[in-house]
Coordinates of all heavy atoms in Angstrom, one line a residue:
M96 N -3.6 -34.2 -0.3 CA -3.6 -32.8 -0.8 C -2.2 -32.6 -1.5 O -1.2 -33.0 -1.0 CB -3.8 -31.8 0.3 CG -4.0 -30.4 -0.2 SD -4.6 -29.3 1.0 CE -4.5 -27.7 0.2
E97 N -2.3 -31.9 -2.6 CA -1.1 -31.6 -3.4 C -0.1 -30.7 -2.6 O -0.5 -29.7 -1.9 CB -1.5 -30.8 -4.6 CG -0.3 -30.6 -5.6 CD -0.8 -29.7 -6.8 OE1 -2.0 -29.6 -7.0 OE2 0.1 -29.2 -7.5
E98 N 1.2 -31.0 -2.7 CA 2.2 -30.2 -2.0 C 2.6 -29.0 -2.8 O 2.9 -29.1 -4.0 CB 3.4 -31.1 -1.8 CG 4.5 -30.5 -0.9 CD 4.1 -30.5 0.6 OE1 3.4 -31.4 1.0 OE2 4.5 -29.6 1.3
R99 N 2.5 -27.8 -2.2 CA 2.8 -26.6 -2.8 C 4.2 -26.2 -2.4 O 4.6 -26.2 -1.2 CB 1.9 -25.5 -2.5 CG 0.4 -25.8 -2.7 CD 0.0 -25.4 -4.1 NE -1.4 -25.7 -4.3 CZ -2.1 -25.3 -5.4 NH1 -1.5 -24.7 -6.3 NH2 -3.4 -25.5 -5.5
T100 N 5.0 -25.7 -3.3 CA 6.4 -25.3 -3.0 C 6.6 -23.8 -3.0 O 7.5 -23.3 -2.5 CB 7.4 -25.9 -4.0 OG1 7.0 -25.6 -5.3 CG2 7.4 -27.4 -3.8
D101 N 5.6 -23.1 -3.6 CA 5.8 -21.6 -3.7 C 5.3 -20.8 -2.5 O 5.3 -19.6 -2.5 CB 5.2 -21.1 -5.0 CG 3.7 -21.3 -5.0 OD1 3.2 -22.4 -4.5 OD2 2.9 -20.5 -5.6
I102 N 4.7 -21.5 -1.6 CA 4.1 -20.9 -0.5 C 4.6 -21.5 0.8 O 4.7 -22.7 1.0 CB 2.5 -21.0 -0.5 CG1 2.0 -20.0 -1.5 CG2 1.9 -20.9 0.8 CD1 0.5 -20.1 -1.7
N103 N 5.0 -20.6 1.7 CA 5.5 -21.0 3.0 C 4.4 -20.8 4.0 O 4.1 -19.7 4.5 CB 6.7 -20.1 3.4 CG 7.4 -20.6 4.7 OD1 6.8 -21.4 5.4 ND2 8.5 -20.1 5.0
R104 N 3.8 -21.9 4.4 CA 2.6 -21.8 5.3 C 3.0 -21.4 6.7 O 2.1 -21.1 7.5 CB 1.8 -23.1 5.2 CG 1.1 -23.3 3.9 CD 0.0 -24.3 3.8 NE -0.5 -24.4 2.5 CZ -1.6 -23.8 2.1 NH1 -2.3 -23.0 2.9 NH2 -2.0 -23.9 0.8
E105 N 4.2 -21.5 7.0 CA 4.7 -21.1 8.3 C 4.5 -19.5 8.4 O 4.6 -19.0 9.5 CB 6.1 -21.5 8.6 CG 6.2 -23.0 8.8 CD 7.6 -23.5 9.2 OE1 8.5 -22.6 9.2 OE2 7.7 -24.7 9.3
L106 N 4.5 -18.8 7.3 CA 4.3 -17.4 7.3 C 2.9 -17.0 7.3 O 2.5 -15.8 7.2 CB 5.1 -16.8 6.1 CG 6.6 -16.9 6.1 CD1 7.2 -16.3 4.9 CD2 7.2 -16.3 7.4
M107 N 2.0 -17.9 7.4 CA 0.6 -17.6 7.3 C 0.1 -16.9 8.5 O 0.5 -17.2 9.6 CB -0.2 -18.9 7.1 CG -1.0 -18.9 5.8 SD -1.9 -20.5 5.6 CE -3.6 -19.9 5.6
L108 N -0.7 -15.9 8.3 CA -1.3 -15.1 9.5 C -2.6 -15.8 9.8 O -3.3 -16.3 9.0 CB -1.6 -13.7 9.0 CG -0.4 -12.7 9.0 CD1 -0.9 -11.4 8.5 CD2 0.3 -12.5 10.3
D109 N -3.0 -15.6 11.1 CA -4.4 -16.1 11.4 C -5.3 -15.0 11.0 O -5.0 -13.8 10.8 CB -4.5 -16.6 12.8 CG -4.4 -15.4 13.8 OD1 -5.2 -14.5 13.8 OD2 -3.4 -15.5 14.6
A110 N -6.6 -15.3 10.9 CA -7.6 -14.4 10.4 C -7.8 -13.2 11.3 O -8.0 -12.1 10.8 CB -9.0 -15.2 10.3
N111 N -7.6 -13.4 12.6 CA -7.7 -12.2 13.5 C -6.6 -11.2 13.3 O -6.9 -10.0 13.3 CB -7.7 -12.7 15.0 CG -9.0 -13.4 15.4 OD1 -10.0 -13.2 14.8 ND2 -8.9 -14.3 16.3
A112 N -5.4 -11.6 13.1 CA -4.3 -10.7 12.8 C -4.6 -9.9 11.6 O -4.3 -8.7 11.5 CB -3.0 -11.5 12.8
T113 N -5.0 -10.6 10.5 CA -5.3 -10.0 9.3 C -6.4 -8.9 9.4 O -6.3 -7.8 8.9 CB -5.8 -11.0 8.2 OG1 -4.9 -12.1 8.3 CG2 -5.9 -10.4 6.9
A114 N -7.5 -9.3 10.2 CA -8.6 -8.4 10.4 C -8.2 -7.1 11.1 O -8.6 -6.0 10.7 CB -9.7 -9.1 11.2
G115 N -7.2 -7.2 12.0 CA -6.7 -6.1 12.7 C -6.0 -5.1 11.8 O -6.2 -3.9 11.9
V116 N -5.2 -5.7 10.9 CA -4.4 -4.8 10.0 C -5.3 -4.1 9.0 O -5.2 -3.0 8.8 CB -3.3 -5.7 9.3 CG1 -2.7 -4.8 8.2 CG2 -2.3 -6.2 10.2
L117 N -6.3 -4.9 8.5 CA -7.2 -4.3 7.5 C -8.1 -3.2 8.2 O -8.4 -2.2 7.5 CB -8.2 -5.4 7.0 CG -7.5 -6.5 6.1 CD1 -8.4 -7.6 5.8 CD2 -6.9 -5.8 4.8
Y118 N -8.5 -3.4 9.4 CA -9.3 -2.4 10.1 C -8.5 -1.2 10.3 O -9.0 0.0 10.1 CB -9.8 -3.0 11.4 CG -10.7 -2.0 12.1 CD1 -12.1 -2.0 11.8 CD2 -10.3 -1.1 13.1 CE1 -13.0 -1.1 12.4 CE2 -11.2 -0.2 13.7 CZ -12.5 -0.2 13.3 OH -13.4 0.7 13.9
E119 N -7.2 -1.3 10.6 CA -6.3 -0.2 10.8 C -6.2 0.6 9.5 O -6.2 1.9 9.6 CB -4.9 -0.7 11.2 CG -4.1 0.2 12.0 CD -2.8 -0.5 12.4 OE1 -2.9 -1.5 13.2 OE2 -1.7 -0.2 11.9
I120 N -6.1 0.0 8.4 CA -5.9 0.7 7.1 C -7.2 1.3 6.6 O -7.3 2.4 6.2 CB -5.3 -0.3 6.1 CG1 -3.9 -0.7 6.5 CG2 -5.3 0.3 4.7 CD1 -3.4 -1.9 5.7
F121 N -8.3 0.5 6.6 CA -9.5 0.9 5.9 C -10.5 1.6 6.9 O -11.4 2.3 6.4 CB -10.2 -0.3 5.2 CG -9.4 -0.8 4.1 CD1 -8.7 -2.0 4.2 CD2 -9.4 -0.2 2.8 CE1 -7.9 -2.5 3.1 CE2 -8.7 -0.7 1.8 CZ -7.9 -1.8 1.9
G122 N -10.3 1.3 8.2 CA -11.2 1.9 9.1 C -12.6 1.3 9.2 O -13.5 1.8 9.8
V123 N -12.7 0.2 8.5 CA -14.0 -0.6 8.5 C -13.7 -2.0 8.7 O -12.6 -2.5 8.3 CB -14.9 -0.4 7.3 CG1 -15.4 1.0 7.2 CG2 -14.1 -0.7 6.0
E124 N -14.6 -2.8 9.2 CA -14.4 -4.2 9.3 C -14.4 -4.8 7.9 O -15.4 -4.7 7.2 CB -15.6 -4.8 10.2 CG -15.6 -6.3 10.2 CD -14.4 -6.9 10.7 OE1 -13.8 -6.5 11.7 OE2 -13.9 -7.9 10.1
M125 N -13.4 -5.4 7.5 CA -13.2 -5.9 6.1 C -13.4 -7.4 5.9 O -13.5 -7.8 4.8 CB -11.8 -5.5 5.7 CG -11.5 -4.1 5.5 SD -12.3 -3.4 4.0 CE -11.3 -4.1 2.7
T126 N -13.3 -8.1 7.0 CA -13.3 -9.6 6.8 C -14.5 -10.2 6.0 O -14.4 -11.2 5.3 CB -13.1 -10.3 8.1 OG1 -14.0 -9.8 9.0 CG2 -11.7 -10.1 8.6
A127 N -15.7 -9.5 6.2 CA -16.9 -10.0 5.5 C -17.1 -9.3 4.1 O -18.0 -9.6 3.4 CB -18.1 -9.7 6.4
S128 N -16.1 -8.4 3.7 CA -16.3 -7.8 2.4 C -16.0 -8.7 1.3 O -15.0 -9.5 1.3 CB -15.3 -6.6 2.3 OG -15.6 -5.6 3.3
P129 N -16.9 -8.7 0.3 CA -16.7 -9.6 -0.8 C -15.6 -9.2 -1.8 O -15.4 -7.9 -2.0 CB -18.1 -9.7 -1.5 CG -18.7 -8.4 -1.1 CD -18.1 -8.0 0.2
T130 N -14.9 -10.1 -2.4 CA -13.9 -9.8 -3.4 C -14.0 -10.9 -4.4 O -14.5 -12.0 -4.2 CB -12.6 -9.6 -2.8 OG1 -11.6 -9.1 -3.8 CG2 -12.0 -10.9 -2.2
E131 N -13.3 -10.7 -5.6 CA -13.3 -11.7 -6.6 C -11.9 -11.8 -7.2 O -11.3 -10.8 -7.5 CB -14.3 -11.3 -7.8 CG -14.3 -12.4 -8.9 CD -15.3 -12.0 -10.0 OE1 -16.2 -11.3 -9.8 OE2 -15.0 -12.5 -11.1
C132 N -11.4 -13.0 -7.2 CA -10.1 -13.3 -7.8 C -10.0 -13.0 -9.3 O -10.8 -13.5 -10.0 CB -9.7 -14.7 -7.5 SG -8.1 -15.2 -8.2
A133 N -9.0 -12.2 -9.7 CA -8.9 -11.8 -11.1 C -8.4 -13.0 -11.9 O -8.5 -13.0 -13.1 CB -8.0 -10.6 -11.2
N134 N -7.8 -13.9 -11.3 CA -7.2 -15.1 -12.0 C -8.2 -16.2 -12.2 O -8.3 -16.7 -13.4 CB -6.0 -15.6 -11.1 CG -5.2 -16.7 -11.9 OD1 -4.8 -16.5 -13.0 ND2 -5.1 -17.8 -11.2
C135 N -8.9 -16.6 -11.2 CA -9.8 -17.7 -11.4 C -11.3 -17.4 -11.2 O -12.1 -18.2 -11.5 CB -9.4 -18.9 -10.4 SG -9.9 -18.6 -8.7
G136 N -11.6 -16.2 -10.8 CA -13.0 -15.8 -10.7 C -13.7 -16.2 -9.4 O -14.9 -16.1 -9.2
N137 N -12.9 -16.8 -8.5 CA -13.4 -17.3 -7.3 C -13.9 -16.1 -6.4 O -13.2 -15.1 -6.3 CB -12.4 -18.1 -6.5 CG -12.9 -18.6 -5.2 OD1 -13.9 -19.3 -5.1 ND2 -12.2 -18.3 -4.1
E138 N -15.2 -16.1 -6.0 CA -15.7 -15.0 -5.2 C -15.8 -15.5 -3.7 O -16.1 -16.6 -3.4 CB -17.1 -14.6 -5.7 CG -17.0 -13.9 -7.0 CD -18.4 -13.4 -7.4 OE1 -18.8 -12.3 -7.0 OE2 -19.1 -14.1 -8.2
G139 N -15.4 -14.6 -2.8 CA -15.5 -14.9 -1.4 C -15.2 -13.7 -0.6 O -15.0 -12.6 -1.1
E140 N -15.3 -13.9 0.7 CA -15.0 -12.8 1.6 C -13.5 -12.7 1.8 O -12.7 -13.6 1.7 CB -15.6 -13.2 3.0 CG -17.1 -13.3 2.9 CD -17.7 -13.6 4.3 OE1 -17.0 -14.0 5.2 OE2 -19.0 -13.5 4.4
I141 N -13.1 -11.4 2.1 CA -11.7 -11.1 2.3 C -11.1 -12.0 3.4 O -10.0 -12.4 3.4 CB -11.5 -9.6 2.6 CG1 -11.7 -8.9 1.2 CG2 -10.1 -9.3 3.1 CD1 -11.6 -7.4 1.3
G142 N -12.0 -12.2 4.4 CA -11.5 -13.0 5.6 C -11.2 -14.5 5.2 O -10.6 -15.2 5.9
G143 N -11.7 -14.9 4.0 CA -11.5 -16.2 3.6 C -10.2 -16.4 2.7 O -9.8 -17.5 2.4
L144 N -9.5 -15.3 2.4 CA -8.3 -15.3 1.7 C -7.2 -15.8 2.6 O -7.2 -15.7 3.8 CB -7.9 -13.9 1.2 CG -8.9 -13.3 0.2 CD1 -8.5 -11.8 -0.1 CD2 -9.0 -14.1 -1.1
L145 N -6.1 -16.4 1.9 CA -5.0 -16.8 2.7 C -4.0 -15.7 2.9 O -3.6 -15.1 1.9 CB -4.3 -18.0 1.9 CG -5.2 -19.1 1.5 CD1 -4.4 -20.1 0.6 CD2 -5.7 -19.9 2.7
A146 N -3.7 -15.4 4.1 CA -2.9 -14.2 4.4 C -1.5 -14.7 4.8 O -1.3 -15.6 5.6 CB -3.5 -13.4 5.5
F147 N -0.5 -14.0 4.2 CA 0.9 -14.3 4.6 C 1.7 -13.0 4.9 O 1.4 -12.0 4.2 CB 1.6 -14.9 3.4 CG 1.0 -16.2 3.0 CD1 -0.1 -16.3 2.1 CD2 1.5 -17.4 3.5 CE1 -0.7 -17.5 1.8 CE2 0.9 -18.6 3.1 CZ -0.2 -18.7 2.3
V148 N 2.6 -13.1 5.8 CA 3.5 -11.9 6.0 C 4.7 -12.2 5.0 O 5.2 -13.3 5.0 CB 4.0 -11.8 7.4 CG1 3.0 -11.1 8.3 CG2 4.3 -13.2 8.0
Q149 N 5.0 -11.2 4.3 CA 6.0 -11.4 3.2 C 6.8 -10.1 3.1 O 6.2 -9.1 2.7 CB 5.3 -11.7 1.9 CG 6.1 -12.5 0.9 CD 5.3 -13.0 -0.2 OE1 4.8 -12.3 -1.1 NE2 5.1 -14.3 -0.2
G150 N 8.1 -10.2 3.4 CA 8.9 -9.0 3.4 C 8.2 -7.9 4.3 O 7.9 -8.2 5.4
P151 N 8.1 -6.7 3.8 CA 7.6 -5.6 4.7 C 6.1 -5.6 4.7 O 5.5 -4.7 5.4 CB 8.1 -4.4 4.0 CG 8.1 -4.7 2.6 CD 8.4 -6.2 2.5
G152 N 5.4 -6.5 4.0 CA 3.9 -6.3 3.9 C 3.2 -7.6 4.2 O 3.7 -8.6 4.7
I153 N 1.9 -7.5 3.8 CA 1.0 -8.7 3.9 C 0.5 -9.0 2.6 O 0.2 -8.1 1.8 CB -0.2 -8.3 4.9 CG1 0.3 -8.1 6.3 CG2 -1.3 -9.4 4.8 CD1 -0.7 -7.7 7.3
V154 N 0.5 -10.3 2.3 CA -0.1 -10.7 1.0 C -1.3 -11.6 1.2 O -1.2 -12.5 2.1 CB 1.0 -11.6 0.2 CG1 0.5 -12.2 -1.0 CG2 2.2 -10.7 -0.1
L155 N -2.4 -11.3 0.5 CA -3.6 -12.1 0.7 C -3.8 -12.9 -0.6 O -3.9 -12.3 -1.7 CB -4.8 -11.2 0.9 CG -4.8 -10.4 2.2 CD1 -6.0 -9.4 2.3 CD2 -4.8 -11.3 3.4
R156 N -3.8 -14.2 -0.5 CA -3.9 -15.0 -1.7 C -5.3 -15.7 -1.8 O -5.9 -16.0 -0.8 CB -2.9 -16.1 -1.7 CG -1.5 -15.6 -1.8 CD -0.5 -16.7 -1.7 NE 0.9 -16.3 -1.9 CZ 1.5 -16.3 -3.1 NH1 0.9 -16.8 -4.2 NH2 2.8 -15.9 -3.2
C157 N -5.7 -15.9 -3.0 CA -7.0 -16.7 -3.3 C -6.9 -18.0 -2.7 O -5.9 -18.7 -2.8 CB -7.1 -16.8 -4.8 SG -8.6 -17.7 -5.3
S158 N -8.0 -18.4 -2.0 CA -8.0 -19.7 -1.4 C -8.2 -20.9 -2.4 O -7.9 -22.0 -2.1 CB -9.1 -19.8 -0.3 OG -10.3 -19.6 -0.9
A159 N -8.6 -20.5 -3.6 CA -8.8 -21.5 -4.6 C -7.6 -21.8 -5.5 O -7.2 -22.9 -5.7 CB -10.0 -21.2 -5.5
C160 N -7.0 -20.7 -6.0 CA -5.9 -20.8 -6.9 C -4.5 -20.3 -6.4 O -3.5 -20.4 -7.0 CB -6.2 -20.2 -8.3 SG -6.1 -18.4 -8.2
E161 N -4.6 -19.6 -5.2 CA -3.4 -19.1 -4.6 C -2.8 -17.9 -5.3 O -1.7 -17.5 -5.0 CB -2.4 -20.2 -4.3 CG -2.9 -21.2 -3.3 CD -1.9 -22.3 -2.8 OE1 -0.8 -22.3 -3.4 OE2 -2.3 -23.0 -1.9
N162 N -3.5 -17.4 -6.3 CA -3.1 -16.1 -6.9 C -3.1 -15.0 -5.8 O -3.9 -15.0 -4.9 CB -4.2 -15.7 -8.0 CG -4.0 -14.4 -8.6 OD1 -2.9 -14.1 -9.1 ND2 -5.0 -13.5 -8.5
V163 N -2.1 -14.1 -6.0 CA -2.1 -12.9 -5.1 C -3.2 -12.0 -5.4 O -3.3 -11.4 -6.5 CB -0.7 -12.2 -5.2 CG1 -0.7 -10.9 -4.3 CG2 0.4 -13.1 -4.7
V164 N -4.1 -11.8 -4.5 CA -5.3 -10.9 -4.7 C -5.0 -9.5 -4.2 O -5.2 -8.5 -4.9 CB -6.5 -11.5 -4.0 CG1 -7.7 -10.5 -4.1 CG2 -6.9 -12.9 -4.5
L165 N -4.4 -9.4 -3.0 CA -4.1 -8.1 -2.4 C -2.7 -8.2 -1.8 O -2.3 -9.2 -1.2 CB -5.1 -7.7 -1.3 CG -6.5 -7.4 -1.7 CD1 -7.4 -7.2 -0.4 CD2 -6.6 -6.1 -2.5
R166 N -2.0 -7.0 -1.9 CA -0.7 -6.9 -1.3 C -0.7 -5.6 -0.6 O -1.1 -4.5 -1.2 CB 0.4 -6.9 -2.4 CG 1.8 -7.0 -1.8 CD 2.8 -7.1 -3.0 NE 2.9 -8.4 -3.5 CZ 2.8 -8.7 -4.8 NH1 2.5 -7.8 -5.7 NH2 3.0 -10.0 -5.2
I167 N -0.4 -5.6 0.7 CA -0.4 -4.4 1.5 C 0.9 -4.1 2.1 O 1.5 -5.0 2.8 CB -1.5 -4.5 2.6 CG1 -2.9 -4.7 2.1 CG2 -1.4 -3.3 3.5 CD1 -3.9 -5.3 3.0
V168 N 1.5 -3.0 1.9 CA 2.8 -2.6 2.5 C 2.6 -1.3 3.2 O 2.1 -0.3 2.7 CB 3.9 -2.4 1.4 CG1 5.2 -2.0 2.0 CG2 4.1 -3.8 0.6
Q169 N 3.0 -1.3 4.5 CA 2.9 -0.1 5.3 C 4.2 0.5 5.6 O 5.2 -0.3 5.9 CB 2.2 -0.5 6.6 CG 0.7 -0.9 6.5 CD 0.2 -1.3 7.8 OE1 0.4 -2.4 8.3 NE2 -0.6 -0.4 8.4
T170 N 4.4 1.8 5.3 CA 5.6 2.5 5.7 C 5.2 3.5 6.7 O 4.0 3.7 6.9 CB 6.2 3.2 4.5 OG1 5.4 4.3 4.1 CG2 6.3 2.3 3.3
P171 N 6.1 4.2 7.4 CA 5.7 5.2 8.4 C 4.9 6.3 7.7 O 4.1 6.9 8.4 CB 7.1 5.7 8.8 CG 8.0 4.6 8.7 CD 7.6 3.9 7.4
E172 N 5.1 6.6 6.4 CA 4.4 7.7 5.8 C 3.1 7.3 5.1 O 2.2 8.1 4.8 CB 5.3 8.4 4.7 CG 6.5 9.1 5.3 CD 7.6 8.1 5.6 OE1 7.7 7.1 4.9 OE2 8.4 8.4 6.5
A173 N 3.0 6.0 4.7 CA 1.9 5.7 3.8 C 1.6 4.2 3.8 O 2.4 3.4 4.3 CB 2.2 6.1 2.3
V174 N 0.4 3.9 3.2 CA 0.0 2.5 3.0 C 0.0 2.3 1.5 O -0.7 3.0 0.8 CB -1.3 2.2 3.7 CG1 -1.8 0.8 3.3 CG2 -1.3 2.4 5.2
Y175 N 0.6 1.2 1.0 CA 0.6 0.9 -0.4 C -0.3 -0.3 -0.5 O -0.1 -1.3 0.1 CB 2.0 0.5 -0.9 CG 2.9 1.7 -0.9 CD1 3.6 2.1 0.2 CD2 3.1 2.5 -2.1 CE1 4.4 3.2 0.2 CE2 3.9 3.6 -2.1 CZ 4.6 3.9 -0.9 OH 5.4 5.0 -0.9
L176 N -1.3 -0.2 -1.4 CA -2.3 -1.3 -1.6 C -2.2 -1.7 -3.1 O -2.5 -0.9 -4.0 CB -3.7 -0.8 -1.3 CG -4.8 -1.8 -1.5 CD1 -4.7 -3.0 -0.6 CD2 -6.2 -1.1 -1.3
D177 N -1.8 -2.9 -3.3 CA -1.7 -3.5 -4.7 C -2.9 -4.4 -4.8 O -2.9 -5.5 -4.2 CB -0.4 -4.2 -4.8 CG -0.3 -5.0 -6.1 OD1 -1.3 -5.0 -6.9 OD2 0.7 -5.5 -6.4
A178 N -3.9 -4.0 -5.5 CA -5.1 -4.9 -5.6 C -5.3 -5.4 -7.1 O -6.4 -5.7 -7.5 CB -6.4 -4.1 -5.2
R179 N -4.2 -5.5 -7.8 CA -4.4 -5.9 -9.2 C -4.9 -7.4 -9.4 O -5.3 -7.8 -10.4 CB -3.1 -5.6 -10.0 CG -2.0 -6.7 -9.8 CD -0.8 -6.3 -10.5 NE 0.2 -5.9 -9.4 CZ 1.5 -5.7 -9.7 NH1 2.0 -5.9 -10.9 NH2 2.3 -5.4 -8.7
G180 N -4.8 -8.1 -8.3 CA -5.2 -9.5 -8.4 C -6.7 -9.7 -8.1 O -7.2 -10.8 -8.1
A181 N -7.4 -8.6 -7.8 CA -8.8 -8.6 -7.5 C -9.6 -8.0 -8.6 O -9.2 -6.9 -9.1 CB -9.1 -7.9 -6.2
V182 N -10.7 -8.6 -9.0 CA -11.6 -7.9 -10.0 C -12.2 -6.7 -9.3 O -12.4 -5.7 -9.9 CB -12.7 -8.9 -10.4 CG1 -13.7 -8.2 -11.3 CG2 -12.1 -10.1 -11.1
Y183 N -12.6 -6.9 -8.1 CA -13.2 -5.8 -7.3 C -13.0 -6.1 -5.8 O -12.7 -7.2 -5.4 CB -14.6 -5.5 -7.6 CG -15.5 -6.7 -7.0 CD1 -16.0 -6.6 -5.7 CD2 -15.9 -7.7 -7.9 CE1 -16.8 -7.7 -5.3 CE2 -16.7 -8.8 -7.4 CZ -17.1 -8.7 -6.1 OH -17.9 -9.7 -5.6
L184 N -13.2 -5.0 -5.0 CA -13.1 -5.1 -3.6 C -14.2 -4.2 -3.1 O -14.3 -3.1 -3.4 CB -11.8 -4.5 -3.2 CG -11.2 -4.7 -1.8 CD1 -11.0 -6.1 -1.5 CD2 -9.9 -3.9 -1.7
R185 N -15.2 -4.8 -2.4 CA -16.4 -4.1 -2.0 C -16.2 -3.6 -0.5 O -16.1 -4.4 0.4 CB -17.6 -4.9 -2.1 CG -18.9 -4.2 -1.8 CD -20.1 -5.1 -2.0 NE -21.3 -4.4 -1.6 CZ -21.8 -4.3 -0.3 NH1 -21.1 -4.8 0.6 NH2 -22.9 -3.6 -0.1
L186 N -16.2 -2.3 -0.3 CA -16.2 -1.7 1.0 C -17.5 -1.2 1.4 O -18.1 -0.3 0.7 CB -15.1 -0.5 1.0 CG -13.7 -0.8 0.5 CD1 -12.9 0.4 0.7 CD2 -13.1 -2.0 1.1
A187 N -18.1 -1.7 2.5 CA -19.4 -1.2 2.9 C -19.2 0.2 3.5 O -18.2 0.5 4.1 CB -19.9 -2.2 4.0
R188 N -20.2 1.0 3.2 CA -20.2 2.4 3.8 C -20.6 2.4 5.2 O -21.4 1.6 5.6 CB -21.2 3.3 3.0 CG -20.8 3.6 1.6 CD -21.9 4.6 1.1 NE -21.6 4.8 -0.4 CZ -20.8 5.7 -0.8 NH1 -20.2 6.5 0.0 NH2 -20.7 5.9 -2.1
Ligands
ZN287 ZN1 -8.2 -17.5 -7.6

C-alpha cells in the first residue's frame, strides 16, 4: 500500500468515538447516513469515513481519496460544521 505523508494515522479515531460525537451534535444516529465525496464522487456511509482528531475539531476524510468531507469544531457556545467536501449529507428524520 502506498505510503501517505499528509495524514497522521495515529490521530485516527475509532468508529465508536466518532459515532458518539456525531450523535451529540445531530441528535440522531449518523454512522449509517449516506454521503458523497465532492472530490471523487465516492458514496458511502458516514461511519465509513476516516476520522481524525485535528486541532480543536474532528476531520472526516473520504476513504477513497482522503479528501476532507466534513470538519467539525466544537466550542463552548457552538458547533461549527464545514461540509464543503460533501456533495450531500443525508439525515434521516
Ligand atoms: Zn473522495
Side-chain angles (χ1 to χ4, degrees):
M96 190 168 169
E97 186 188 344
E98 189 72 32
R99 305 269 186 174
T100 54
D101 61 328
I102 279 180
N103 185 350
R104 290 194 182 265
E105 289 183 0
L106 294 178
M107 241 175 119
L108 284 178
D109 68 62
N111 288 334
T113 313
V116 171
L117 293 173
Y118 186 83
E119 202 175 296
I120 294 169
F121 294 101
V123 291
E124 172 56 45
M125 292 286 289
T126 48
S128 294
T130 187
E131 181 180 337
C132 174
N134 185 53
C135 75
N137 181 53
E138 289 184 84
E140 297 178 348
I141 287 176
L144 297 172
L145 307 175
F147 299 86
V148 278
Q149 203 167 73
I153 290 174
V154 172
L155 298 175
R156 291 176 178 269
C157 175
S158 59
C160 74
E161 298 187 348
N162 172 56
V163 175
V164 176
L165 289 173
R166 187 178 281 127
I167 299 162
V168 176
Q169 292 176 283
T170 73
E172 294 82 28
V174 175
Y175 293 85
L176 179 66
D177 171 357
R179 79 186 107 164
V182 174
Y183 69 87
L184 194 61
R185 183 178 178 277
L186 308 184
R188 288 184 189 273

